[in-house]
Each structure stands twice: as C-alpha cells, then as structure tokens.
C-alpha cells in the first residue's frame, strides 16, 4: 500500500469520535501484516520498535475526527484526489499525520537505534482525550514525545490550555412593576460580563495575552418578572504562564457573580528550548525557535514529558468543509518524522556519552 492509498483508506474509513472501532480494527490488521506487534485499548492502538530501552520516544496522533459540518462539495467520508490534494474529513486533522507517522515506522522498522520508539494512534482526541488518558499508563516511562497535528511542519513548543468558568449571578425575583422589591440578576451579570470583556492576563511569548470570552448566557423566566438568576460561561484559552486555579480565583474576586470551574483539564503546556526533543525538531526544520499553538490537543495530557507538536497540514483547514491535505505535505511529513527520529537519537546518544 503506497502513501496515498494509505491516507485514502484512513480518510474513507469514518471515525467520528466515539465511533473509531472500524478504523482501529482495519489499521491494526494492516500494521500486524507488516510485522508490527499491535496493542489495543478501546479504539486506541500502539506498537513499539526496539527493546523497551531508553530513551523511549513516543510519536502520537489521533484516529478520530469531528462530525462533518455543512458546506462539503463531496462526500466527506470518501477520499478523492483533485489537483494533488487529497480531500476528505480528517485528511488534515489528523489522518495526514497518522499516515506520515505510519510510513515513517515502516521506513525505520529494521533500523537499530539506541532506544525505543512507541507509535500510538488514539481515539477520542476531539472529544476529551479519553484515548490517550487510557493508554498512557500502559506505555511505560516516556522520555520525549512528538504530537502529530497539522502545524505546517512548524515546531510548536507551547500550546494554549482551556479553562471554562460557569458564572452565576444571584438576585431576588419580583414583579417587574415593583422592581425596587427585587434584585435583577441579569443586570448583575451584565456588569460582570463588561468586567470580563475588559480583562486581560499577562502575555506569554508569541501566544500573547489571554482574554475571557463569554460564550453562553441564560437567565429570566418571564418577560414581566425581575429575574433572580442568570448563568453565563466564560471560555479562556490560557497560556503556559497561567495557572487555572489562580485565574479562576482572580476572576472570582472581581465579579459579583459566583464563579465555578466548569472544565480545566486542558492545561496550557510548554517545553523548554534546551530539551533534546526541541533541539532535534528545530534542527530538522532549520528553525531557530519554536512557536506557540492556540489549539488544544492530546499534548495537554502528556504533562511532565518534554514534547513538541508538529505535523503536515494547516490548522486553518481543520473542522471545516472540504478539508484536504496536499500530497506534497504528506511526503514532507514522512521526511520530517524520519529525519527527526534519526536526529533525536543521535543527539541523545551524544548527551549520554558526555555525562
Ligand atoms: Zn487534531
């Protein structure tokens, strides 16, 4: 199966989050026939090359996609090629990375490195990271990781997190004609929302500042009643210099509404430029520094492991109609991952020798 056929097969096997059984089974079959020893947990699969020696490198990407949105000009679940573009749901996010990583595994299958490499393709990345969280304890100690996501092969060394706050303004109900007897919870929420709209947290490198976005609001039971309750949500895409609990406390202290953490598991994350994984990736792409990424990924669940996010494709094409990957991007992806593995183990071996 050539690279294009592999990506076509992946894209033409529907795998919306929660429904990755078929893709996990067919990919396991293909990889087993090629001699890889596949392990599976739920609909996530992985295999290791090398004898569980350290350093142990992890290459990770995801099998699932978001559901198709409106606006497709063709069947999103059927890959087709037009002008050297492979079009279909997930072609860019992240089946292009999956295909490039698999092709890399094939290429290095019989090479020997001073260390071991685990290749993992997980389910449920788009919905909460259940896949990576379930398999991570089974992977053993990991010294470094590469997360395959469409970054245009730019090396991301920082990634924004996601903090969602649920804010509740409490008031006192009354007839709207006797408003002095009540306390208007929507007015209170409106003051708080203005405060949030003006708020800005300290900037972090090229990612810049973090600002709360109020994304949902509900309040009021009747058009002629002063409302006693109004609830709204604030979405904060946090940077690695911020701590979720501290941000929630600071916002809580500024608002009249009651503030509770609704979701905080996507913590912001970054990797120091001195880590081997960063230096190896930057050397391969010939760049002097990594960049920050505004989108979350399963990297958020690899806390404590030096990691970078890098893969073929363009994040702006993700979760949109007529998603595609250029065939040239697929080729460059394979070249990146194989050169990266080679460079990483060369650098790691030198470092061990110097200790
Ligand atoms: Zn993705």
């Amino acid at each position: 199966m050539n690279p294009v056929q592999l990506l076509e097969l992946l894209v033409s096997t529907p795998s919306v989050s929660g429904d990755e059984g078929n893709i996990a089974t067919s990919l396991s079959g293909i990889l087993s026939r090629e001699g890889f020893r596949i392990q599976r947990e739920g609909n996530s699969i992985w295999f290791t090359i090398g004898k569980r020696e350290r350093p142990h490198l992890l290459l990770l990407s995801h099998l699932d996609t978001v559901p198709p949105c409106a606006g497709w000009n063709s069947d999103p679940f059927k890959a087709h090629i037009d002008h050297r573009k492979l079009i279909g749901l997930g072609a860019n996010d992240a089946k292009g990375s999956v295909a490039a990583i698999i092709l890399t595994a094939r290429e290095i299958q019989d090479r020997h490195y001073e260390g071991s490499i685990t290749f993992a393709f997980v389910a449920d990345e788009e919905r909460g990271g259940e896949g990576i969280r379930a398999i991570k304890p089974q992977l053993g100690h990991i010294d470094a990781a590469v997360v395959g996501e469409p970054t245009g092969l730019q090396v991301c060394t920082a990634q924004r997190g996601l903090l969602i706050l649920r804010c509740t303004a409490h008031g006192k109900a009354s007839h709207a004609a006797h408003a002095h007897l009540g306390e208007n919870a929507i007015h209170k929420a409106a003051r708080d929302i203005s405060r949030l709209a003006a708020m800005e947290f300290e900037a972090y490198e090229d990612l810049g500042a973090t600002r709360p976005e109020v994304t949902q609001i509900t309040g009021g039971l009747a058009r002629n009643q002063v409302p006693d309750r109004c609830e709204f949500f604030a979405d904060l895409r946090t940077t690695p210099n911020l701590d979720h609990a501290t941000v929630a406390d600071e916002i809580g202290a500024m608002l009249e509404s009651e503030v509770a953490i609704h979701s905080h598991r996507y913590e912001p994350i970054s990797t120091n430029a001195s880590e081997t994984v960063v230096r190896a990736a930057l050397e391969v792409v010939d760049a002097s520094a990594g960049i920050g990424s505004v989108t979350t990924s399963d990297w958020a669940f690899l806390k404590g492991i030096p990691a970078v996010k890098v893969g073929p494709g363009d994040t702006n094409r993700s979760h949109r109609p007529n998603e595609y990957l250029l065939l040239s991007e697929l080729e460059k992806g394979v070249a990146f991952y194989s050169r990266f593995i080679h460079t990483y183990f060369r650098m790691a071996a030198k470092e061990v020798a110097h200790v």
Side-chain angles (χ1 to χ4, degrees), residues 18-328:
D19 196 13
E20 303 97 332
N22 287 342
I23 201 168
T25 300
S26 69
L27 194 53
S28 296
I30 293 167
L31 294 169
S32 300
R33 285 192 291 278
E34 293 180 6
F36 298 108
R37 293 168 59 94
I38 305 300
Q39 291 180 270
R40 179 168 178 168
E41 165 78 46
N43 292 327
S44 300
I45 61 171
W46 72 97
F47 58 92
T48 301
I49 295 180
K51 293 196 198 80
R52 293 241 159 241
E53 288 163 29
R54 290 183 62 188
H56 179 201
L57 182 63
L58 170 69
L59 268 70
L60 168 73
S61 192
H62 63 95
L63 294 174
D64 62 318
T65 70
V66 291
C69 56
W72 279 82
N73 298 327
S74 60
D75 181 353
F77 295 114
K78 201 169 179 324
H80 74 278
I81 294 167
D82 187 14
H83 290 88
R84 302 281 297 161
K85 281 178 185 174
L86 192 146
I87 304 159
L89 181 63
N92 179 70
D93 182 16
K95 292 178 178 182
S97 293
V98 171
I101 292 171
I102 289 169
L103 295 160
T104 304
R106 246 188 222 167
E107 220 179 273
I108 63 159
Q109 195 169 8
D110 300 316
R111 272 191 233 162
H112 177 77
Y113 290 104
E114 295 294 320
S116 53
I117 313 166
T118 293
F119 298 84
F121 309 105
V122 299
D124 206 53
E125 190 268 354
E126 298 287 3
R127 223 175 40 167
E130 201 48 62
I132 182 61
R133 289 189 288 153
I135 74 162
K136 193 176 162 240
Q138 302 180 52
L139 300 180
H141 182 89
I142 299 162
D143 292 287
V146 178
V147 182
E149 288 282 344
T151 69
L153 293 181
Q154 294 198 81
V155 178
C156 297
T157 50
Q159 176 178 280
R160 281 191 186 266
L162 170 59
L163 171 65
I164 302 175
L165 299 176
R166 188 179 62 245
C167 309
T168 312
H170 298 282
K172 257 195 293 191
S174 75
H175 195 296
H178 305 299
H180 64 283
L181 297 175
E183 191 189 338
N184 193 318
I186 291 181
H187 290 183
K188 195 184 270 187
R191 291 192 293 274
D192 280 343
I193 290 167
S194 299
R195 291 181 180 109
L196 286 171
M199 207 179 268
E200 187 176 293
F201 290 86
E202 193 198 345
Y204 179 84
E205 298 183 358
D206 64 325
L207 283 173
T210 296
R211 293 180 194 87
E213 288 296 328
V214 176
T215 50
Q216 276 189 319
I217 182 163
T218 43
L221 293 172
R223 282 189 299 277
N224 58 356
Q225 184 188 47
V226 171
D228 66 352
R229 186 185 165 90
C230 179
E231 186 179 76
F232 55 98
F233 286 87
D235 171 306
L236 290 104
R237 303 290 161 153
T238 50
T239 47
N241 55 327
L242 303 175
D243 168 71
H244 281 172
T246 311
V247 169
D249 283 349
E250 276 180 40
I251 290 179
M254 284 206 38
L255 303 192
E256 296 171 62
S257 302
E258 182 190 326
V259 173
I261 292 178
H262 179 72
S263 170
H264 65 121
R265 66 175 171 223
Y266 285 96
E267 288 187 48
I269 199 157
S270 64
T271 303
N272 199 291
S274 65
E275 293 289 349
T276 313
V277 66
V278 175
R279 289 185 293 112
L282 289 175
E283 182 178 306
V284 173
V285 300
D286 197 21
S288 55
I291 60 162
S293 166
V294 298
T295 50
T296 60
S297 75
D298 277 344
W299 182 10
F301 305 113
L302 299 179
K303 205 174 180 184
I305 300 169
V308 292
K309 180 165 81 174
V310 48
D314 180 343
T315 182
N316 293 321
R317 291 179 214 148
S318 303
H319 305 192
R320 297 181 73 184
N322 310 312
E323 179 182 345
Y324 67 91
L325 190 79
L326 294 167
L327 299 182
S328 59

